[in-house]
Amino acid sequence: WMKDIAGVIACRGGSIRVPHKNIKPFADSSLLEIKINQLKQLVSQVYVNSDSDQILKLAEANGAIPVKRDPYYATSEVSINEVYSNVTQDIPHEHILYAHVTSPLIKTSTIEACIEKYNNLEDIYDSVCTVQLLKKFIWYRGNSINYDANNMPRSQDLPNFHMIAFAINILPKESIQYLKNIVTPNYYPIILDEIEAMDIDNNIEFELAEYLYKK
């Protein structure tokens, strides 16, 4: 049984650290086009939500449904929780695959595995979430947090703490509206390596991701 899953890409027009990050040339394409074309292979419909007419025009040209965002929800002042709720409230589908445009290195096969898992989730889970394992020695205010400093383990034996990768999240639309979040309490973790989990946040990461994408 396949759930009715829509792909949603939230794509703000303004980007402070990398101007026009989502639509500037990236490996003979753009981050937005790459993500739309990736999702089109996997879900029945892709929606792009943006305050930018230029982004919405590019989205429509690539087969996505453009959704105009109220400028208030594209400011730096509004909380991301409010954005999650606003971006998905008018999507006419029961389930949402929330894809981050700034994660171009996640493989299509990985997203496919996320969808497959979501369609067959055990009752103890309520969503699918991409994560990285945090295998680091963490200290806070003079105390070790995730290991016994007097009986130091090998790094691979540290507990499996998760860092949310924010590449792919799949969950019921109802949950996003209720929680105002795309991370639920009982998510099933899809573990990504450092390359697939890479999130572009500045010019160096943009150039590095483009280099790796072309390889």
Side-chain angles (χ1 to χ4, degrees):
W1 176 63
M2 300 292 287
K3 295 171 181 170
D4 175 31
I5 302 173
V8 174
I9 303 169
C11 208
R12 192 170 72 149
S15 178
I16 296 169
R17 281 168 287 197
V18 186
H20 308 293
K21 172 174 64 181
N22 301 320
I23 56 174
K24 73 179 288 190
F26 180 94
D28 301 323
S29 185
S30 68
L31 295 177
L32 177 59
E33 290 168 280
I34 287 167
K35 195 55 62 181
I36 291 172
N37 291 320
Q38 191 175 43
L39 295 188
K40 274 165 54 181
Q41 303 173 54
L42 304 171
V43 296
S44 60
Q45 193 59 65
V46 179
Y47 297 82
V48 173
N49 178 292
S50 182
D51 59 310
S52 163
D53 290 332
Q54 186 180 7
I55 285 174
L56 294 176
K57 188 175 179 181
L58 183 62
E60 191 169 26
N62 280 271
I65 294 178
V67 181
K68 189 63 183 281
R69 191 188 308 185
D70 184 307
Y72 169 74
Y73 292 99
T75 63
S76 298
E77 287 71 42
V78 69
S79 78
I80 190 64
N81 301 86
E82 295 294 335
V83 174
Y84 289 145
S85 177
N86 177 260
V87 162
T88 55
Q89 67 181 8
D90 294 325
I91 302 297
H93 297 261
E94 191 178 350
H95 303 276
I96 302 292
L97 186 159
Y98 202 100
H100 283 72
V101 71
T102 50
S103 299
L105 300 178
I106 186 169
K107 298 171 187 172
T108 302
S109 59
T110 301
I111 303 177
E112 198 169 21
C114 291
I115 294 171
E116 175 70 20
K117 185 63 191 179
Y118 186 74
N119 276 320
N120 297 281
L121 268 186
E122 297 90 338
D123 290 341
I124 58 171
Y125 301 111
D126 52 15
S127 71
V128 165
C129 177
T130 50
V131 304
Q132 280 183 279
L133 291 183
L134 180 61
K135 296 287 194 178
K136 305 290 184 183
F137 297 93
I138 306 170
W139 281 65
Y140 181 69
R141 293 184 174 177
N143 295 302
S144 54
I145 300 301
N146 60 336
Y147 72 101
D148 178 359
N150 296 315
N151 187 22
M152 196 166 173
R154 298 173 302 173
S155 59
Q156 62 264 38
D157 294 329
L158 287 166
N160 288 334
F161 279 26
H162 292 167
M163 294 189 296
I164 305 298
F166 289 114
I168 297 292
N169 295 78
I170 314 178
L171 66 164
K173 173 187 166 181
E174 186 179 56
S175 296
I176 301 177
Q177 296 302 306
Y178 175 72
L179 297 169
K180 292 190 175 180
N181 211 324
I182 56 172
V183 181
T184 62
N186 301 305
Y187 64 81
Y188 180 89
I190 300 288
I191 297 167
L192 305 182
D193 63 24
E194 286 183 274
I195 291 178
E196 281 199 274
M198 188 173 179
D199 177 57
I200 296 172
D201 203 33
N202 55 47
N203 280 304
I204 292 173
E205 290 168 350
F206 189 96
E207 292 176 14
L208 178 57
E210 186 176 34
Y211 170 77
L212 292 170
Y213 186 86
K214 286 177 174 178
K215 283 188 73 175

